[in-house]
């Protein structure tokens, strides 16, 4: 394995300061260590930038503060253009990963020679400061293109794609 990061993680953010630190911490705590996080803040009006500034010392985290809210799609596309790693992962700034997510998923992709993978996930809501977990979502095991474009059960934060 080279010193080059194997996976770039693209994280768009807009006003998710409440979850942002925990989301970034779930990346820092990954058992797979060859990653780079690219955070693209869309001109947040909450405490997001203050939280992001706490992570500036981490050389594996690149923070880009946009002057206008361009939206998550623009941010993901900009992150894709900035990426030079073998794999690209996405994590929304109000989502969290299990500590071995990258390790297991990249190992799966390599051993099965696939260019795209996704995982189950558990959505949650917050009511009066209490986190309530919902039922785990299990997307289909396989898709063809037509089925894929008409299915919404794959969450962006579960995907990893091979850059090429």
């Amino acid at each position: 394995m080279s010193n080059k990061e194997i996976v770039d993680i693209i994280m768009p953010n807009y006003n998710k300061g409440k979850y942002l630190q925990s989301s970034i911490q779930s990346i820092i705590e990954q058992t797979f260590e060859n990653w780079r996080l690219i955070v693209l803040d869309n001109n947040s009006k909450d405490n997001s930038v203050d939280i992001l500034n706490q992570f500036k010392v981490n050389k594996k985290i690149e923070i880009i503060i946009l002057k206008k809210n361009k939206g998550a799609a623009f941010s993901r596309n900009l992150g894709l253009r900035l990426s030079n790693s073998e794999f690209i992962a996405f994590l929304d700034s109000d989502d969290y990963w299990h500590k071995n997510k990258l390790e297991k998923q990249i190992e799966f992709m390599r051993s099965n020679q696939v260019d795209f993978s996704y995982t189950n996930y558990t959505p949650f809501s917050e009511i009066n400061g209490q986190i309530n977990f919902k039922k785990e979502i299990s997307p289909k095991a396989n898709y063809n293109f037509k089925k894929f474009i008409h299915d919404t059960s794959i969450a962006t934060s579960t995907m990893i794609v091979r850059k090429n």
Side-chain angles (χ1 to χ4, degrees), residues 85-96:
S85 293
E86 180 181 357
F87 294 100
I88 298 170
F90 302 94
L91 182 61
D92 289 343
S93 56
D94 59 350
D95 289 342
Y96 315 108

Side-chain angles (χ1 to χ4, degrees), residues 16-79:
K16 297 295 183 183
K18 185 174 189 175
Y19 306 101
L20 190 56
Q21 186 162 352
S22 296
S23 187
I24 293 172
Q25 199 62 40
S26 79
I27 296 169
I28 292 170
E29 294 172 359
Q30 288 295 301
T31 56
F32 186 89
E33 296 178 353
N34 280 17
W35 54 264
R36 173 176 70 143
L37 172 61
I38 304 168
V39 182
L40 300 112
D41 184 82
N42 280 276
N43 197 25
S44 290
K45 305 300 182 203
D46 66 355
N47 64 338
S48 291
V49 174
D50 294 333
I51 292 166
L52 291 172
N53 285 333
Q54 297 172 23
F55 292 98
K56 277 187 173 180
V57 296
N58 189 323
K59 295 185 187 313
K60 295 170 80 170
I61 300 176
E62 181 177 347
I63 299 167
I64 299 167
I65 309 293
L66 301 173
K67 293 180 181 178
K68 257 175 92 170
N69 183 349
K70 299 271 201 162
F74 175 89
S75 296
R76 287 187 189 106
N77 286 327
L78 178 56

